[in-house]
Amino acid sequence: EIVLTQSPGTLSLSPGERATLSCRASQSVSSSYLAWYQQKPGQAPRLLIYGASSRATGIPDRFSGSGSGTDFTLTISRLEPEDFAVYYCQQYGSSTRWTFGQGTKVEIK
Amino acid sequence: EVQLVESGGGLVKPGGSLRLSCAASGFTFSSYSMNWVRQAPGKGLEWVSSISSSSSYIYYADSVKGRFTISRDNAKNSLYLQMNSLRAEDTAVYYCAREVGGVYWYFDLWGRGTLVTVSS
């Protein structure tokens, strides 16, 4: 079973700053199977990135994803007020189906 | 409008049962695999179960295997989750989510969720 570990648990930043979120897998993951989601309080998760680096429809280009193998990164180039939220990585596995990381909260400093 | 709407949540006693529904609209429901994902209060996301477009393939998380049953009715554009032998740790918001697979794999559409509370 692949475990996804996200770090840091909480990221305290100011609007306009750059956010770098990490997702580390316990075994190598195909980039095609790695996605990122944003969740705001009281809302459902929203797809941001799929295939490790492809932005979903309507997602601003300040969001970018990168990585391969066991190390993946979500970067928000300049934080907007609406970007303060919790972010989850997710991977697909043929045997275990779907696994989520525990989340990284991006909060206003 | 493309959307998923969950219903059926509520308060149930430990050991009890509940059936969740997810109504799909605005897309060809029968073409997609569907999933249930839950989120305990203040916690992260946990995948619960998947069902393929024709119900041929069904998967469960170990935490619910033997207690929960996923099903769908493509004629009614609906997804279901029958939950039996409920425990306090099943308390969560339950989301249905549309799965995209093939080259890339991810959930591209989520409902707003329905809250299940298991308590005496």
Side-chain angles (χ1 to χ4, degrees), chain A residues 24-85:
Chain A
R24 182 159 292 175
S26 58
Q27 302 172 42
S28 184
V29 172
S30 169
S31 296
S32 298
Y33 298 167
L34 197 287
W36 289 92
Y37 300 84
Q38 176 194 67
Q39 187 180 34
K40 297 179 182 179
Q43 296 185 17
R46 176 174 74 143
L47 176 69
L48 294 177
I49 301 287
Y50 64 91
S53 60
S54 297
R55 272 187 301 277
T57 303
I59 301 303
D61 60 8
R62 64 180 181 272
F63 292 92
S64 63
S66 63
S68 63
T70 60
D71 291 304
F72 298 89
T73 301
L74 174 69
T75 301
I76 310 171
S77 59
R78 288 178 57 85
L79 282 164
E80 297 287 342
E82 61 268 28
D83 299 336
F84 291 91

Side-chain angles (χ1 to χ4, degrees), chain B residues 8-41:
Chain B
L11 175 63
V12 60
K13 289 182 169 54
S17 298
L18 211 54
R19 189 195 196 206
L20 306 184
S21 299
C22 171
S25 59
F27 66 97
T28 305
F29 179 72
S30 59
S31 296
Y32 290 88
S33 292
M34 296 295 296
N35 292 262
W36 288 99
V37 176
R38 68 184 181 183
Q39 186 170 38

